[in-house]
């Protein structure tokens, strides 16, 4: 790789040369779409019991009136608010994903940038610019990886992206920008072991890296130096965290294709790797009208990554973190309920024998996809007791840029997410929040947006 492009220099040039006025309308529109989506799932994430434990822990890390926790509104240091809000965005597996990068870009990025913007009274335009650049950095790094996940790419690439986005918001350039990225790199964390075990630390790895991005910029602004060759160096990201890489996506896309426009919605609060199963079963049931009692077995033929992420067996003692990433449970849920919602991961559902028995009829297999990071195509086949086989092939799963959610479906998801929060939001609050994000570029101080994220009840 001695003659390959210098990836970190390409990214730094992109960060330094970008401004709000230069963003195309399509990127600004996509940015507001996924800010709305991510705020919605972050509001919903307040309902998860572990949030209270995290608040108890971060209360030991200091006090300040810098940024707020979404929904409940506590003021605290920006790093602490970012950690909690990042966890809330990702804790139900409902946040958007950039499929080619295998990165949930908005979880680390939005929680970190909003907290930083609150502390510094930044504008909506600054937030939009920061998010667009942050998503570019996080996902272009992720797209260069050709090997399978070992470390938790959403938290790790998300932290580098968030650091870049904060610097873009503040027009931080040169050595300070380089140091901020190097300091962020030095703090990166996140392992797939949490995924394998279904540990709630999977989502908390998002929160930890959200806080790390803010710390990195603060240290760099104070003049502290970080390592520079953080991507291709002998212990840089591509060498240390991944097994193989190809810089072609970065070289071809940077500055030409804004990656916020390539992000996929998650219509359902479960891993994106299980969305093909949900989409396929909904289509088959609508088309053929079979009942649950008619089903002999379900076979899902999917990519190596889907098998790795959701091919785990259904079991009696699952918790919500495990079930959200279990294809059998996901399939049983959509067949019994017609869809998948946050309430489907409550304890009474997780222990329901009917759901467990149906989920045991689901088998996930490898298809012939060679790309280790692909989340499509997916084939779903239902075999009925009569022996009849029903099959659907999905090249683009619902929510992807090639099969996007309508604006109506986006708003329905947002409202459903907000209605599931630990504190209620009424329709007036929701419409105000939607309108605020639709007009985000006109907001002079992001604190006015965050005020709308706090329930009045």
């Amino acid at each position: 790789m001695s003659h390959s492009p210098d990836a970190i220099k390409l990214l730094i040039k992109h960060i330094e040369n970008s401004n709000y006025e230069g963003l195309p309308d399509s990127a600004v529109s996509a940015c507001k779409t996924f800010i709305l989506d991510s705020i919605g799932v972050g509001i919903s994430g307040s309902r998860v019991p572990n949030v209270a434990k995290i608040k108890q822990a971060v209360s030991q890390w200091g006090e300040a009136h810098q940024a707020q926790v979404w929904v409940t509104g506590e003021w605290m240091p920006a790093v602490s608010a970012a950690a909690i809000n990042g966890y809330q965005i990702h804790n139900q597996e409902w946040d958007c994903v950039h499929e080619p990068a295998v990165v949930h870009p908005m979880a680390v990025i939005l929680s970190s940038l909003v907290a930083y913007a609150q502390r510094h009274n930044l504008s909506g335009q600054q937030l939009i610019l920061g998010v667009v650049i942050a998503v570019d950095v996080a996902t272009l790094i992720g797209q260069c990886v050709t090997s399978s996940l070992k470390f938790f790419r959403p938290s790790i690439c998300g932290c580098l992206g968030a650091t870049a986005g904060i610097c873009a918001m503040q027009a931080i350039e040169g050595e300070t920008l380089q140091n901020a990225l190097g300091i962020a790199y030095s703090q990166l964390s996140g392992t797939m072991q949490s995924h394998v075990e279904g540990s709630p630390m999977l989502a908390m790895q998002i929160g930890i890296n959200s806080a790390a991005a803010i710390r990195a910029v603060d240290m760099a602004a104070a003049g502290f130096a970080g390592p520079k060759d953080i991507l291709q160096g002998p212990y840089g990201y591509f060498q240390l965290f991944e097994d193989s890489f190809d810089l072609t996506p970065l070289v071809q896309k940077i500055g030409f294709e804004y990656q916020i426009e390539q992000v996929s919605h998650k219509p359902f609060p479960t891993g994106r790797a299980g969305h093909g199963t949900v989409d396929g079963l909904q289509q088959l049931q609508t088309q053929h009208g079979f009942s649950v009692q008619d089903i002999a077995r379900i076979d899902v033929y999917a990519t190596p990554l889907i098998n790795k992420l959701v091919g785990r067996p259904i079991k009696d003692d699952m918790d919500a973190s495990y079930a959200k990433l279990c294809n059998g449970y996901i399939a049983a849920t959509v067949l019994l309920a017609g869809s998948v919602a946050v309430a489907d991961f409550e304890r009474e559902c997780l222990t329901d024998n009917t759901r467990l028995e149906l989920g045991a009829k689901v088998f996930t297999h490898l298809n012939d996809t060679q790309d280790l990071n692909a989340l499509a195509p997916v084939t779903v086949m239902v075999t009925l007791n009569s022996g009849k086989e029903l099959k659907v092939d999905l090249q683009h799963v619902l929510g992807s840029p090639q099969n996007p959610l309508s604006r109506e479906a986006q708003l329905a998801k947002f409202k459903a997410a907000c209605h599931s929060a630990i504190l209620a939001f009424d329709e007036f609050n929701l419409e105000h929040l939607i309108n605020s994000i639709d007009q985000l570029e006109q907001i002079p101080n992001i604190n006015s947006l965050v005020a709308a994220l706090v329930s009045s009840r």
Side-chain angles (χ1 to χ4, degrees):
M1 301 297 294
S2 59
H3 301 292
S4 67
D6 191 326
I8 192 63
K9 286 185 178 179
L10 288 174
L11 290 171
I12 288 171
K13 181 179 178 182
H14 181 55
I15 299 163
E16 292 179 334
N17 291 346
S18 297
N19 54 62
Y20 177 81
E21 291 72 23
L23 298 177
D25 290 344
S26 56
V28 173
S29 177
C31 183
K32 291 192 289 186
T33 292
F34 286 105
I35 287 175
L36 178 74
D37 182 77
S38 303
I39 284 174
V41 300
I43 287 173
S44 177
S46 66
R47 68 191 294 277
V48 174
N50 276 329
V51 172
K53 299 175 184 177
I54 296 168
K55 288 180 181 179
Q56 180 180 351
V58 303
S59 70
Q60 309 300 311
W61 302 349
E63 298 179 1
H65 195 86
Q66 295 180 343
Q68 288 171 280
V69 178
W70 298 354
V71 183
T72 49
E74 299 95 330
W75 284 94
M76 54 185 61
V79 290
S80 298
I84 295 170
N85 293 333
Y87 176 76
Q88 289 188 180
I89 292 175
H90 193 62
N91 64 16
Q92 297 184 107
E93 291 284 347
W94 210 359
D95 52 315
C96 59
V97 62
H98 189 288
E99 294 187 36
V102 198
V103 171
H104 298 76
M106 295 295 282
V108 173
I109 288 167
L110 191 63
S111 56
S112 186
L113 267 61
V114 168
Y116 188 92
Q118 268 201 281
R119 190 178 74 182
H120 291 273
N121 298 304
L122 303 186
S123 69
Q125 288 189 8
Q126 288 172 290
L127 179 63
I128 291 170
L129 172 64
V131 168
V132 171
I133 297 308
V135 171
D136 273 357
V137 171
T139 62
L140 287 171
I141 292 172
Q143 287 176 80
C144 292
V145 180
T146 55
S147 50
S148 186
L149 290 167
K150 293 191 303 183
F151 291 91
F152 189 49
R153 205 173 296 155
S155 66
I156 290 171
C157 290
C159 182
L160 294 173
T163 305
I166 292 172
C167 289
M169 289 197 301
Q170 291 282 64
I172 295 171
E173 300 180 341
E175 188 174 1
T176 304
L177 169 59
Q178 294 178 52
N179 285 331
L181 291 169
I183 295 167
Y185 177 72
S186 301
Q187 300 178 82
L188 295 185
S189 65
T191 168
M192 288 299 289
Q193 189 62 34
S194 293
H195 186 287
V196 169
E197 296 182 17
S199 167
M201 268 309 298
L202 187 70
M204 194 56 216
Q205 290 172 166
I206 293 290
I208 290 168
N209 284 273
S210 299
I214 296 175
R215 286 197 297 265
V217 177
D218 288 346
M219 291 179 69
F224 200 85
K228 304 300 189 294
D229 194 7
I230 63 171
L231 294 181
Q232 293 159 274
Y235 299 100
Y237 172 78
F238 290 124
Q239 302 290 350
L240 192 63
F241 288 89
E242 309 288 359
D243 291 332
S244 60
F245 68 100
D246 177 358
L247 295 178
T248 300
L250 171 61
V251 173
Q252 292 183 344
K253 296 178 182 181
I254 193 166
F256 298 99
E257 178 185 277
Y258 287 95
Q259 297 307 300
I260 190 67
E261 299 182 49
Q262 304 303 316
V263 174
S264 295
H265 276 100
K266 279 189 187 174
F268 315 105
T270 189
R272 182 63 181 170
H275 272 58
T277 300
V278 178
D279 188 5
L281 287 173
Q282 284 184 328
Q283 291 190 37
L284 289 175
Q285 204 164 38
T286 298
Q287 182 178 353
H288 300 283
F290 57 86
S291 70
V292 168
Q293 291 73 28
D294 295 330
I295 298 172
R297 63 180 286 147
I298 298 166
D299 292 280
V300 179
Y301 298 90
T303 66
L305 183 60
I306 291 174
N307 277 264
K308 178 177 182 175
L309 295 181
V310 297
R312 60 182 60 177
I314 196 166
K315 58 183 184 179
D316 292 337
D317 58 345
M318 293 183 299
D319 61 12
S321 297
Y322 185 99
K324 284 177 180 293
L325 300 167
C326 173
N327 227 4
Y329 186 84
I330 296 165
T333 296
V334 70
L335 287 167
L336 291 167
S339 187
V340 182
V342 292
D344 290 308
F345 298 94
E346 300 291 349
R347 191 64 193 162
E348 60 269 21
C349 296
L350 295 172
T351 57
D352 176 51
N353 286 331
T354 301
R355 203 172 296 217
L356 294 173
E357 290 169 4
L358 182 58
K361 296 181 179 181
V362 179
F363 303 90
T364 306
H365 316 273
L366 285 169
N367 62 18
D368 59 3
T369 301
Q370 298 301 306
D371 184 348
L372 297 177
N373 292 298
L375 285 163
V378 180
T379 297
V380 180
M381 186 168 71
V382 176
T383 303
L384 304 181
N385 292 323
S386 65
K388 184 177 182 179
E389 294 180 346
L390 310 174
K391 186 175 76 168
V392 62
D393 296 311
L394 303 172
Q395 294 299 314
H396 303 293
V397 175
L398 181 65
S400 70
Q402 300 82 10
N403 187 14
L405 292 186
S406 66
R407 170 71 170 176
E408 181 182 20
Q410 293 170 21
L411 292 178
K413 174 189 171 180
F414 176 78
K415 290 182 178 181
C418 292
H419 286 312
S420 69
I422 193 170
L423 298 175
F425 283 75
D426 61 31
E427 289 301 318
F428 177 82
N429 296 143
L430 294 184
E431 291 301 329
H432 173 64
L433 188 48
I434 291 166
N435 291 334
S436 296
I437 296 170
D438 283 345
Q439 301 172 41
L440 182 58
E441 67 272 29
Q442 299 177 30
I443 293 178
N445 188 326
I446 213 67
N447 277 283
S448 64
L449 173 64
V450 178
L453 306 185
V454 178
S455 173
S456 58
R457 301 186 185 182

